[in-house]
Amino acid sequence: MATTQTVARSRRGSLANVAHGGGGQVAADGALTHLLFGFDQGFGQTLDFGFGARQQMKSQPLGRFGADARQALQLFDEVAEGTGVQVLLSQTAPFTLAGFAVGNNVIPWKAVVWGAAMGTIALMGAGLLAVAGGLPRDNPELQIGIGQRFGENARDTLTLSALPGDRLTLEFAETIAGDRPQRVTVPQVTVTIAAENLPTPGERQTVILSHHRSYENAAASAFRLTAQGIPTDIVQPRRWQVWAKRDTFQTVPLRQVLMQELHAQGFERASLETRRDRQRLGLSWQAGNFRYRRDRLTVRAGNGVVRVNGRPYGGRLVLQPNAFGTFTVVNWVPLETYLRGVVPHEIGSQAPFAAVQAQAILARSYALASRQRFVADNYELCATTQCQVYRGLEGTSAYTDRAIASTRGLVLTHQGQIIDALYSSTTGGITANYHDLWDGATRPYLKSVWDAPPPPPQRDLSDEANFQRFIALRQGFHEEGWSHFRWQKESSLDEIRKTLGAFLQMSGDRQPPPREIRSLQITKRAPSGRVQAIAVETENRTLTIEKDEIIDAFAAPNSLLFYLEPKMSGPTLQGYRFRGGGLGHGVGMSQTGSYTLARRGFSFAQILDFYYTDTRLQPLPR
């Protein structure tokens, strides 16, 4: 999506007190001060309108949408008052609320005003939009899901404890049905799952629209579906999924009509999943002589550190329900404290200092640009490689802490906006373009670069012969000598059949799994060498697996940078040998490559400039 300057900022002010401002700035009294209306999804042009007693909406283009505009803004003001949230709006019919933004980062939502009535607000999944209101403050509090499925096993247990000499404060509703808070202090508490039998089994239905290996493709799918008028949620039960928005399709008839329409339009993998709940799960713990059962619990420590099953976390914890009938353990933690639990586990404490500094800036930028991922479950980021590896305060070091502190508040930007700061372990000698892996909005700063000093003769690696010659090279690259720079793995036809069958089942494929694999063929390769499509011939059909889904469909490859060699026994095909390079998606900075650049004297700024096109470092405002 193109950059937008559509901004309305709300602090404490109501619409009645809105006065015209400039550049998305906030008035001293914190009122909503600036609103720009852009055209459709591209927001290629803008019109500026002020609201309030002295300046009303008088422009002709908004004349017929005036009432709708006021309804949309009134709803926003009621929901977002005092939150510092921004709202993005488009001008053309249907009048759309294109996104909410916190600081510089848009939570991509879309509200449609059909006629004069406010419609539903749906997760749009369009990736980030640029916001004219400036960068976020330099140490915002993040919400990290450190336990995403607590209660999935009836025996799940959390032991929460304070550091020696400190105590925990537990905060929860005074009664199960009430909202009046109750607080109890303890040195330690054990939280378990309590199951309550329901007098009548409940039923949960979900319309699953698509399945994905990555959030990036789930977001692109959600954006396309929302543009077709289907409000969506993005969730991650295991693989990422796009659901029809639950708040919109609340009844069985609505879901059935939607399914009929989806299948009529060719959405073959859309499915209606029904789960019967015979029990209602709750959180259970004992404090003093009382045992409590609630569905939400907040835990703080006096010195700001809570241990979770022995691992220390800064900030506070909130145990809250999620979309799957279980609970998420969410760590509310300041950004700079969060980085202490990310950087040493992503780059390693033995990396050269400039590489650690570059990693700190990327981790900070990535976190701020990715806070919309788990909107459907009411938190922001996970603690795994699906986001960034985060282990609280475990494994911190003075060395990595110093690198984080020396770059405090620095983020990588493109045209004034924080970038989607992707990075990976090992590129294999050439980084990938964003679209070599994923669909969605263009990231012009994520372009393929040769990871070598100097680069080898420029070859088009979409040519198979060129690519195989490239993979045969072992020297002259930043990553040479690393174990994943070049690799070779083999899979039998039976192993391929089993892995592919499991992948198809997880991807919503409705046909029986293949009984026989007859051949694999790479049918498309990107100029960066990444495989774009593999054709799989089975006993009754030919399947095409594309882009990053290939990594889930086949067990052997570490990346998309590979080619295939048939394994023969006489005239009989036995399997395939995968010859390739790199580990991970290969987009953005190579962590192993950054080691070499730093050892050659590159500063952190030079390392980032090497891997990211047309970007600059900017400090967050304090």
Side-chain angles (χ1 to χ4, degrees):
M1 179 173 289
T3 297
T4 174
Q5 294 182 351
T6 3
V7 173
R9 182 185 296 271
S10 176
R11 296 291 187 193
R12 297 188 186 88
S14 65
L15 290 177
N17 297 321
V18 173
H20 175 67
Q25 301 303 308
V26 180
D29 63 357
L32 173 66
T33 63
H34 196 100
L35 182 66
L36 293 173
F37 287 91
F39 287 88
D40 197 35
Q41 295 171 359
F43 298 97
Q45 306 177 49
T46 58
L47 295 174
D48 189 357
F49 299 95
F51 288 78
R54 296 183 180 180
Q55 198 168 9
Q56 302 296 326
M57 286 193 300
K58 296 178 180 178
S59 176
Q60 183 61 35
L62 273 179
R64 56 189 174 133
F65 301 120
D68 298 341
R70 289 188 183 92
Q71 287 184 16
L73 288 170
Q74 185 174 358
L75 174 67
F76 164 72
D77 196 64
E78 291 171 356
V79 172
E81 182 176 359
T83 66
V85 171
Q86 298 173 326
V87 61
L88 305 182
L89 298 159
S90 73
Q91 179 188 342
T92 54
F95 191 87
T96 59
L97 174 62
F100 289 153
V102 179
N104 186 52
N105 304 301
V106 170
I107 301 171
W109 295 72
K110 182 176 182 181
V112 182
V113 180
W114 301 102
M118 191 69 193
T120 58
I121 298 178
L123 183 63
M124 188 167 66
L128 292 180
L129 304 175
V131 178
L135 301 177
R137 294 295 176 182
D138 74 335
N139 198 24
E141 196 171 40
L142 305 179
Q143 300 171 39
I144 315 299
I146 61 173
Q148 292 176 273
R149 299 291 176 268
F150 181 64
E152 199 167 46
N153 186 322
R155 296 183 179 179
D156 282 352
T157 300
L158 281 177
T159 300
L160 309 177
S161 58
L163 296 179
D166 197 14
R167 293 178 69 82
L168 302 178
T169 297
L170 313 182
E171 183 176 317
F172 48 93
E174 190 173 55
T175 62
I176 293 178
D179 55 6
R180 182 177 174 181
Q182 179 175 350
R183 294 179 181 85
V184 175
T185 62
V186 293
Q188 178 175 305
V189 66
T190 298
V191 182
T192 59
I193 294 297
E196 175 187 359
N197 292 327
L198 297 173
T200 303
E203 187 173 274
R204 285 186 291 140
Q205 280 192 332
T206 304
V207 178
I208 303 175
L209 302 170
S210 59
H211 304 252
H212 307 273
R213 181 176 186 265
S214 61
Y215 171 83
E216 287 78 8
N217 274 344
S221 174
F223 176 70
R224 290 191 297 267
L225 289 161
T226 302
Q228 296 176 48
I230 304 173
T232 59
D233 284 325
I234 301 176
V235 297
Q236 190 206 13
R238 286 293 178 268
R239 283 167 55 86
W240 292 91
Q241 294 179 349
V242 179
W243 291 359
K245 193 165 186 65
R246 294 157 292 166
D247 291 346
T248 301
F249 301 97
Q250 293 183 349
T251 65
V252 172
L254 275 176
R255 292 189 287 267
Q256 291 175 341
V257 169
L258 175 62
M259 286 298 300
Q260 291 172 2
E261 183 65 22
L262 288 168
H263 289 156
Q265 294 184 22
F267 289 86
E268 296 179 357
R269 293 192 177 183
S271 62
L272 183 63
E273 182 180 276
T274 301
R275 296 194 178 189
R276 296 189 179 277
D277 295 324
R278 301 185 181 278
Q279 295 180 319
R280 180 180 180 273
L281 301 184
L283 303 169
S284 177
W285 68 91
Q286 184 160 342
N289 296 323
F290 296 93
R291 176 158 288 277
Y292 299 91
R293 184 188 186 281
R294 300 289 188 272
D295 62 5
R296 187 179 180 90
L297 173 65
T298 299
V299 182
R300 296 178 174 85
N303 65 6
V305 178
V306 180
R307 291 189 298 195
V308 181
N309 292 339
R311 177 179 290 171
Y313 288 88
R316 67 187 187 278
L317 300 178
V318 178
L319 283 70
Q320 61 190 42
N322 57 38
F324 311 101
T326 56
F327 298 88
T328 303
V329 184
V330 180
N331 181 202
W332 290 61
V333 58
L335 170 62
E336 297 300 316
T337 304
Y338 163 77
L339 294 178
R340 296 183 65 202
V342 171
V343 173
H345 306 295
E346 282 287 357
I347 192 77
S349 297
Q350 304 304 314
F353 194 67
V356 182
Q357 289 176 304
Q359 179 67 72
I361 292 167
L362 292 177
R364 183 181 294 113
S365 303
Y366 180 91
L368 292 174
S370 303
R371 297 172 73 178
Q372 77 285 0
R373 291 194 168 211
F374 294 91
V375 168
D377 268 335
N378 197 31
Y379 61 101
E380 296 173 344
L381 293 161
C382 60
T384 71
T385 54
Q386 284 290 331
C387 301
Q388 299 184 113
V389 174
Y390 169 61
R391 296 178 182 168
L393 298 176
E394 182 179 83
T396 61
S397 74
Y399 181 69
T400 54
D401 284 351
R402 185 161 57 89
I404 294 165
S406 69
T407 64
R408 181 185 172 103
L410 283 180
V411 291
L412 198 59
T413 67
H414 173 76
Q415 296 182 354
Q417 310 304 322
I418 300 174
I419 72 165
D420 188 4
L422 295 162
Y423 55 88
S424 68
S425 167
T426 313
T427 67
I430 183 171
T431 72
N433 290 294
Y434 181 86
H435 284 135
D436 294 346
L437 278 292
W438 306 295
D439 301 327
T442 299
R443 274 73 162 172
Y445 44 83
L446 293 176
K447 294 183 178 179
S448 178
V449 299
W450 289 97
D451 209 351
Q458 297 297 306
R459 297 190 182 100
D460 180 1
L461 298 187
S462 64
D463 178 84
E464 196 66 23
N466 284 346
F467 178 75
Q468 292 188 21
R469 285 193 290 269
F470 165 74
I471 289 296
L473 298 174
R474 295 291 190 275
Q475 295 180 333
F477 296 88
H478 294 143
E479 300 168 338
E480 65 181 61
W482 289 83
S483 59
H484 294 293
F485 174 62
R486 292 288 181 263
W487 48 262
Q488 173 182 312
K489 294 186 178 181
E490 297 181 356
S491 286
S492 68
L493 291 181
D494 191 54
E495 289 170 338
I496 293 170
R497 179 187 63 80
K498 291 177 181 177
T499 305
L500 181 64
F503 164 79
L504 292 172
Q505 184 178 25
M506 290 188 299
S507 299
D509 188 75
R510 296 181 169 208
Q511 298 192 34
R515 297 189 305 273
E516 180 184 354
I517 302 296
R518 294 181 177 175
S519 70
L520 303 182
Q521 182 181 2
I522 294 172
T523 59
K524 185 178 180 182
R525 189 184 294 281
S528 73
R530 266 68 186 185
V531 177
Q532 300 295 279
I534 291 183
V536 185
E537 184 183 357
T538 72
E539 75 279 2
N540 58 7
R541 57 174 170 157
T542 298
L543 300 161
T544 299
I545 314 297
E546 297 182 336
K547 296 189 177 181
D548 80 327
E549 297 295 325
I550 292 168
I551 303 298
D552 275 1
F554 306 99
N558 290 337
S559 72
L560 295 181
L561 200 69
F562 68 87
Y563 66 91
L564 296 170
E565 285 183 346
K567 290 174 53 186
M568 308 296 293
S569 177
T572 304
L573 179 66
Q574 299 291 311
Y576 285 89
R577 183 175 295 109
F578 294 71
R579 293 186 184 274
L583 176 64
H585 53 67
V587 178
M589 187 185 80
S590 162
Q591 292 169 311
T592 54
S594 73
Y595 274 57
T596 299
L597 291 174
R599 286 169 179 156
R600 289 178 176 171
F602 277 53
S603 67
F604 65 81
Q606 291 172 316
I607 292 171
L608 296 174
D609 187 60
F610 180 88
Y611 287 107
Y612 300 91
T613 303
D614 191 23
T615 57
R616 62 187 293 260
L617 289 166
Q618 284 186 249
L620 297 172
R622 291 184 179 272

